[in-house]
Amino acid sequence: MAGAYAIRLCALAGADARAPWPQMLAQLLLCDPARAPWLGANRQRFAASFPHIDFSRLRWGDPLRFVLQCLWLLLVLPEPSEAAQWQVPPALRRVRTLLSLAWRRVAPWLPGMDPQRMEQRAERMADHSTWDLPLARYLAYLAAAALAVLCVTTPFSLTAQLVFVVLLWVIALAMRQIPGPVATLLLIVLSVTASSRYMWWRMSSTLNWDEPLDFLWGLLLLAAETYTWLVLLLGYAQSAWPLRRQPLNMPDALTEWPSVDVYIPTYNEPLKVVMPTVYAAIGIDWPRDKLNVYLLDDGRRDEFRQFAEASGIGYIARSDNRHAKAGNLNNALKITDGEYIAIFDCDHIPTRSFLQSTLGWFLRDPKLALMQTPHHFFSPDPFERNLGLFRRTPNEGELFYGVIQDGNDLWDATFFCGSCAVLRRAPLEEVGGIAVETVTEDAHTALKMQRLGYHSAYINVPLAAGLATESLSAHIGQRIRWARGMAQIFRLDNPFLGKGLNWAQRICYGNAMLHFLNGGPRLLFLTAPLAFLFFHAYVIYAPATAVMLFVLPHMAHANLTNSRIQGGHRHSFWAEVYETVLAWYTVRPTMVALINPRKGKFNVTAKGGLVKDDYFDWTISLPYLIIVGLNVAGVLAGLGRIFWGPADEIATTVLNLFWTVYNILLLGGAISVASETRQVRLSHRVTIRLPAVLHQPDGRLIRCQTVDFSDSGCALSVPLATGLQRDEKVMVSLWRGAEEHAFCAQVISSDATQVRLQWMLASQEEQMMLIQCTFARADAWLSWSEGRETDKPLRGLQSVLRVGILGIVRVFHYAAPADSSFSTRIRQSGGWLRGMLPRRPAATGAR
Amino acid sequence: MRQLLLMILSLTSFALTAAPAAPATSSALPVAALATPSAAAAPDGSAAQLTRSFPLSGLGGAAVLRLHTTDGTELLRFGTRADELVTRAVLKLRYSYSPALIPGQSHIKVLLNDEVVSVLTVTHENAGKTLTSEVEIDPRVLTDYNTLALQFIGHYTDKCEDPLHSSLWAEVSGASTLELGVRPLAVGPDLARLPEPFFDPRDSRRLTLPFVFAAKPTHATLRASAVTASWFGKLAAWRGSRFPVMLNQLPRGHAVVFATNVERPAELAALRPFSGPSIAVMRNPVDQVSLLLLIGGRDAAEMKAAADALARGSGAMSGSQIAITKSSTEHPRAAYDAPNWVRLDRPMKFGELVEDKQQLQVFGHVPAPVRVNLRIPPDLFTWNSRGVPVSLKFRYTPPIRTSESRMSMSINDELVESLNLRSSGQGGDSAHVVLPLLDSGLLGDGKEVLVPAFKLGSRNQLQYAFSFSYQKESACTEVQVDNVRAMIDADSTIDFSGYPHYAEMPHLGYFASAGFPFTKYADLSQTTVVLPDVPAAQDIEVMLGLMGRMGESTGYPATQVEVSTANDESLLKNRDLLLIGAGGQQKLLQRWAANLPASLDGNSRRISQPVSTATRLFDGLGFGSKPDTQVATSESMSGGGAMALMIGFESPLTAGRSVVAVTAAAPQDMPQVLDAMADEPLLRGMHGSAIFVSGKRVESILAGKTYTLGELPIWTMIWFPMSGHPILLGIMSVLAVLVFAFALWRSLRAIAARRLKVEKR
């Protein structure tokens, strides 16, 4: 028997079957004892596998580095595609071959995993004719409900719980392989089961009623967890099935097309920001006589009046600024008379197809009162800019517009977001215009209309694009307003109460509002482990192992499922960073609004601003620095507990330490966002490839593509060197549909592959045309998310943690002088730790 | 003297002859003394001289008594019976001591009741050897309760002595004995002394009290004897009790006699007939020194009334005879209200659990633990419980060195928690160690501790061990004052309330240790003891022994127990049955034997094995797997040899009722069961549904049908069995998930279609 295995092993490894055992083992691992890696020609190849180890001068950490590198090479590093770069040493390659062969042996035993077939099978099962029998169906529901109650509530011993959760986890992992909505729903229900089981356990057996301190902390934490659990469940309900509504074609007869007023409210934004919007609005494809563009200037600026007159659009100003944006819109509503109203924030540049794409549904459904489209941003938000993530990961808003609003649409609960939307005038007037009672007038208006039985709809196609907030403080200011406004609505016009909504709409609206109350719970999660580390309060009164066995499945299932639902629009674990950043700042306004909803005022989101120098926003990050400080103290206290505390508490302490360190890194991420990086462009460059023709001064034409463009210039990629000199005048042709338009430009620089240009536009018409050929193109934003990495939960965690470390490092960078001995030492130990990490093997000539 | 006695005798003989003529004068002594010439020998110096020998390890000492200079003294306690006169007391010591001791300065003091009775000196020649020494103790120093103390005074050097030095030791073997020569004393027949002299609390030996019946006692008589046995069992408590049965014959020594007008031992045939329930004490005509406790009445029912009165009202009796005019039960006992068991309706204070609050207090630096005994109904269902909350308050002298001073709480010798003692407040100064007792210097401290519920059996002991570290500054500055004391507050509580009663039966361990399920009602009001039609003396002895155990367990006499034959259906149905009978005399057992996992009938016997016992590996995984108790194999055999069998099963007559049967190959093998149950290690080996007892061996088997007693809350009833099947539950949850996900898919698909279509007009 053993002999047979030996022969097979040797066949796999290419070793001599008749050789004695020790030699075979050596052959297996070291390729050839006669040519051991440290001898002869293999030496270099061997050394290349360990680029961070100098074998001639070994240091203290090297053995550990060696082991880590070996493990990494064996288990993690994918087979290098370019063999020329580096070759896995034969010894390691053989072990890897063995491992993969073993996997291939095992794999057939696993259930057949043809994803498509599995999906079809799942749908066939879900759609089976048995379900059409009401009796069978309701019996099955009844039994399943009973089973579910049992599964959630049955207490287990630790081992039994381990078996149970491993089973569920394996099923979840298998389901994940299957595409399609059935598997998604399966994952959702599994996650709900795991989380409900956790909550049941928390509520039934982890509160210590005997110790008042423990009980109080525990109750607080439990309340926070219950909130999270509720929001998780409501979130699943909201996003289980994004409707993916497609635009509906307009009737052929232009006479049937209704009249539309386009409102562009502005207050204090510079004209430069507003101009492109106006130009694009004018260019929207719609019968001229039925399209009226109005600039609603609450700043009452002459410059704007003149610009409006020059552009041939309406200009509406009022004498006071009552109710801010809502009042501004309501004022215009009285003056104009269009059947429909399209609203764009002054920096949201609509594409020319905006109205044609959105109005079709209004004509189909007379009860439809609102059509919302996503807010798309072509400039990086503070997260993207300060963390260097722009266009690599989805931005913060994408989850909402990509999944949640689309999911709301299924339940007829999409709400108005203040911009990039079309409203029907009649229902809007029926509810008394835009709501003024709260600072989130948009959502509140939608809620009021829906209470009257009107529908709302959502088209998940970016049909307008704008500027993101330019600094963290501005971003936070905006979110504070939203949070306060939502809390106000929750108090004044609670969607769970009142008439007119169906239960699904109540859930969707309710969750939108509840979501903004996450500040308190988040702060609790950030500080809860300190209760144990400092005060020895068992906030979760259970042994550490039990906590792990319940918490981990709860979190793992939730993350897996959310990654599946939202992966394309939000990467795993990033929500934690976003929430952490806002937590401190939204707690107070939401609490105040919940207690006294009539307090608080509208603050305008600043846009189009500049960040001249890199700086660290100490003011914004101060609360987080304090919490980090507390957590670091907690870590020290925890280490003290490990070394000097009772032995039976070590596991609990370690668990709390892990939690604390995770919190520190999350906070690090939040702090990292506060280190503002330079933002000096007045005009944001949008990286999109458009066909273009470069007219050279000598008359030659070059067919080329844009690399990026803005309203001040563009870069073209050219197939061959142009030889253009700086300041030379050229023409660039761009297309608006089939129309070609040529624009004058001046060369800034040019090289073999690129020409960078600055527009030299003479007239307003030319500027308008440029906008319409670029930002307002019908297909401008369709391919925006191409080339992004897909979400992998663990990679999301990794990147969040990396950002966290970066944040902590940045704090040191800004806080401590670079040459102080303290920061030197920190840097040294950081470098030493980094030196431990495995490396990609160095390329060597030894082949 | 002699003349006086003769006078009394002639007087009583007159009374005896006169009695039949005047039955109306029933208030006259019906017993008095019986004038038999052999009994006329009055107690004098020639009466039997007995020698009692007590090993020190049995008097509260350890197997080896280790003496140190610092731990105070080793205390040994013993009592002398009121009906015995100690004529001689010899302490036979075996000991050895350290060679480092300085003779002249070092010695061992022997104290009796704080008086020095002897000093064992130390010599160089004998150091390190095992020595024996006989210490004569003047018997006049002895009182009812005596304390023998061994105190070690040791010195190894003249200067800078360390009282903790490891060379300061002396050890006394626990096998050393205290020998008492005793002579019986005649005590007057007075009911006011009860339960003395039949049970003397000074006597720490097992209570052995013969019960005397007529030649063929009826079951009604036996019922009265069962009540009396359980009362004596309750009194004897930890000492244990045995009741040898004499049929129609009087033993020497104290005994209890059961008699009615028709049914009485031959030797008491001359007694005047009873005119009602009556209790009397009289001299034992067999030896004239000891006493008989006569329980009687005109018939068995009256005798039962007398037994009840004895058990419930002995405190109000005096004189040599008393007639019972009324015996009634106003309030029947409720379930689980045995006085000896913890209360289940409220937290229990420690003060209620100990006989004397002094038991909660200890002296010295490393005192013996404070021990609190607990008896818990064996069927408390503690699954998934976090533990039993103990709210502990304790006081102690502030320790000088807090880091090594602690209080360890254990239950049944397993550590629960160790707490550091703190010196907060005053007393931190090492110079002022002497603090007046009960001053504010004694610290109060409270702490919640949970007793892990699974560690509790039916008999438990909470142990609180204090240890105070010594102050040791340097070699020559020693301050050693033994003024440390600690106390567990009597207001500390332990709370067993809120647990449901639920037990998997049969579990003979419950029966052996606590008499469960019979003792669920402390007066055994749900129990019928079923004896053979003509029970052998040993059968009765076993019944009495078991009753004694139950009385000991509950602390309440079994006044409502029924004793019956196999023929009385009304007493068998709807009751818990205790079947006793050897050698095929127990008809019920014979009738039911076929369905039982084991049987023993004369020379033929049968033993079964279950399909599976719980495997440790599987159970170690936490599946809470239960053994499969179905009978897998069954061996029948035939042969001689002493063997007794206890077997437990559900009553075939009434579901939910228990039967425990005690049987043996031959009647003389029956008491083996009592012997085994009195043996602590053997008792611990008793469990399952059948126990074969043979001498010093017990073999427990869990086979055959099982049943449950008690009720669980509905959710617990569902959760408890499910909690052992995570895989099943996992599969079930996947099924539920599938059903819900499929349903969601269908409905969401329909909703989406409606959203996109309905609006199309």
Side-chain angles (χ1 to χ4, degrees), chain B residues 209-277:
Chain B
L209 184 62
F211 275 29
V212 182
F213 298 94
K216 283 187 179 173
T218 61
H219 288 75
T221 304
L222 293 177
R223 184 178 173 212
S225 72
V227 176
T228 310
S230 69
W231 180 62
F232 275 112
K234 170 204 152 186
L235 293 173
W238 50 271
R239 298 170 187 83
S241 54
R242 281 291 278 277
F243 307 99
V245 169
M246 315 296 269
L247 296 180
N248 211 14
Q249 183 192 353
L250 284 175
R252 293 181 74 84
H254 308 299
V256 182
V257 182
F258 294 88
T260 62
N261 285 345
V262 287
E263 184 191 327
R264 55 176 69 180
E267 282 164 274
L268 298 177
L271 275 184
R272 276 173 51 187
F274 297 96
S275 58

Side-chain angles (χ1 to χ4, degrees), chain A residues 262-282 293-299 301 303-305 307-308 311 313-315 344-350 378 465 467 607-608 682 711 764 767-768 771:
Chain A
V262 176
Y263 289 172
I264 303 169
T266 169
Y267 173 56
N268 58 1
E269 295 84 358
L271 182 59
K272 192 171 177 343
V273 171
V274 183
M275 268 161 53
T277 310
V278 172
Y279 291 149
I282 293 169
V293 181
Y294 297 96
L295 188 60
L296 318 182
D297 181 22
D298 249 11
R301 289 160 290 186
E303 189 191 4
F304 277 61
R305 176 191 301 277
F307 167 70
S311 315
I313 61 170
Y315 176 83
F344 297 101
D345 275 354
C346 64
D347 61 325
H348 275 143
I349 306 169
F378 55 78
L467 294 173
K607 290 197 180 160
L682 268 173
D711 56 356
Q764 210 169 347
Q767 284 185 14
M768 190 183 302
I771 294 295

Side-chain angles (χ1 to χ4, degrees), chain B residues 178-229:
Chain B
L178 173 68
E179 279 189 11
L180 298 179
V182 297
R183 208 176 61 191
L185 264 184
V187 286
D190 186 354
L191 285 167
R193 287 183 210 263
L194 278 180
E196 291 174 35
F198 306 98
F199 162 71
D200 193 328
R202 301 170 194 86
D203 193 345
S204 58
R205 296 168 304 160
R206 188 172 77 188
L207 170 66
T208 304
L209 184 62
F211 275 29
V212 182
F213 298 94
K216 283 187 179 173
T218 61
H219 288 75
T221 304
L222 293 177
R223 184 178 173 212
S225 72
V227 176
T228 310

